[in-house]
Amino acid sequence: MQTVQRYLINQMVIAYVSGYHGRNSKVYDRRLTLHRGVSNPVSFTFKNEDQKAQDITAKTYELNIIDTESKKAVLTKTLTVLDDGSTVSTKGDASCTITDGDLLKLDAKFYNFSVSDVTNSDNPEITYSDTGYAAAGTIEVLDGAYAQHVSSTSISTFTLSSDTFTSGAITGRPGINNNQALHTIAIYPKNFTGTVTVQGTMETTPSSDNDYFDITSTSLTASSSISTLNFTGVFQNVRFKAVRDTGTTGRVDKILYRQ
């Protein structure tokens, strides 16, 4: 895990009358790197100018990644304050995980990042990247270290009840996806007439039909040609239900699903 120091200090002007004391010498922060294809845990240590970890038990901190060209925030993560095992207070450490899904919309390049104290949401406060009162750090998003292609999931086993074919639960990979995540489906029918429906659930281990809700569907008529469906969103699991028209004998041979 990459660890970054942030300083909780007040700006001050010091006039030395008997030489340099060195107490408030500048400490430089280092660049962070984030890799596509994996989750990237990052921790932050909050200190004062004397390099002493500060009590952040009741604090809420927010990480913002800023596009250096547009000057807009492209990703915001709330930090989780870590328990250091102390019986008195939690000193200094907070973390977050930047997932592969978080990085999907970001180009591989340099970004700035900042951390603010948002305990009072109406009046967020600054934290510093060094004791020279710089607020921004640097993040580089990299690709190439990890494979980003994910093979499609092939579903060819269905439970048949009357004229309804139902698949089992397939993970929607919520850990790497976000609200803009694209799910793509290819349906391989065999002379099928009826409706194919994609259903989703937020249950980790769905146990009944009532756990599911409809996401999208398509109607086919005596089709043996590949049909496609797309949808976006975050779901714990999805499943596929094909209901053929009464009196027909077609079927769905296979569904390919990429999430």
Side-chain angles (χ1 to χ4, degrees):
M1 179 181 293
Q2 301 179 79
T3 301
V4 181
Q5 295 181 357
R6 301 296 295 187
Y7 291 90
L8 307 178
I9 56 181
N10 295 321
Q11 296 200 55
M12 65 186 77
V13 177
I14 301 175
Y16 292 110
V17 295
S18 58
Y20 175 59
H21 291 239
R23 178 186 175 203
N24 294 292
S25 59
K26 186 170 184 176
V27 178
Y28 290 92
D29 203 359
R30 62 183 179 80
R31 182 172 60 205
L32 289 176
T33 57
L34 303 178
H35 294 271
R36 295 184 186 277
V38 292
S39 292
N40 297 263
V42 182
S43 68
F44 296 83
T45 299
F46 295 85
K47 299 182 176 182
N48 64 8
E49 67 269 28
D50 292 324
Q51 305 297 315
K52 293 182 178 179
Q54 298 299 288
D55 180 6
I56 59 172
T57 307
K59 296 290 188 178
T60 302
Y61 292 101
E62 196 171 77
L63 167 68
N64 286 286
I65 298 179
I66 312 296
D67 189 306
T68 56
E69 298 172 5
S70 68
K71 310 302 181 185
K72 294 181 179 179
V74 294
L75 180 64
T76 298
K77 304 286 285 189
T78 299
L79 304 185
T80 299
V81 176
L82 302 178
D83 184 359
D84 64 355
S86 170
T87 58
V88 179
S89 62
T90 299
K91 290 297 184 71
D93 293 333
S95 70
C96 69
T97 297
I98 300 173
T99 67
D100 182 29
D102 292 330
L103 299 178
L104 288 176
K105 61 184 178 181
L106 302 187
D107 295 329
K109 64 177 186 178
F110 288 97
Y111 297 84
N112 287 336
F113 75 89
S114 60
V115 177
S116 54
D117 179 350
V118 294
T119 307
N120 180 357
S121 58
D122 293 329
N123 186 31
E125 296 183 4
I126 191 172
T127 74
Y128 297 94
S129 61
D130 57 42
T131 56
Y133 307 115
T138 302
I139 281 181
E140 184 178 11
V141 176
L142 299 169
D143 54 22
Y146 296 92
Q148 298 176 54
H149 174 77
V150 178
S151 298
S152 299
T153 301
S154 180
I155 302 99
S156 57
T157 301
F158 301 88
T159 300
L160 176 60
S161 176
S162 297
D163 287 311
T164 300
F165 299 82
T166 307
S167 76
I170 303 104
T171 178
R173 301 180 73 195
I176 70 165
N177 285 320
N178 51 38
N179 289 336
Q180 289 75 42
L182 178 64
H183 302 247
T184 59
I185 299 157
I187 304 166
Y188 292 74
K190 185 68 173 180
N191 196 32
F192 180 82
T193 297
T195 302
V196 179
T197 302
V198 183
Q199 297 184 314
T201 178
M202 302 310 295
E203 296 291 336
T204 304
T205 54
S207 58
S208 71
D209 291 342
N210 292 331
D211 292 332
Y212 288 92
F213 50 86
D214 292 349
I215 300 173
T216 186
S217 64
T218 186
S219 296
L220 304 177
T221 302
S223 176
S224 295
S225 300
I226 299 174
S227 181
T228 61
L229 274 175
N230 297 326
F231 65 96
T232 59
V234 177
F235 308 95
Q236 286 288 346
N237 292 282
V238 300
R239 74 175 185 180
F240 303 97
K241 183 171 71 173
V243 180
R244 66 187 175 193
D245 289 355
T246 302
T248 63
T249 58
R251 65 182 188 273
V252 173
D253 283 340
K254 179 176 66 174
I255 293 177
L256 293 183
Y257 170 46
R258 178 169 293 179
Q259 64 277 59

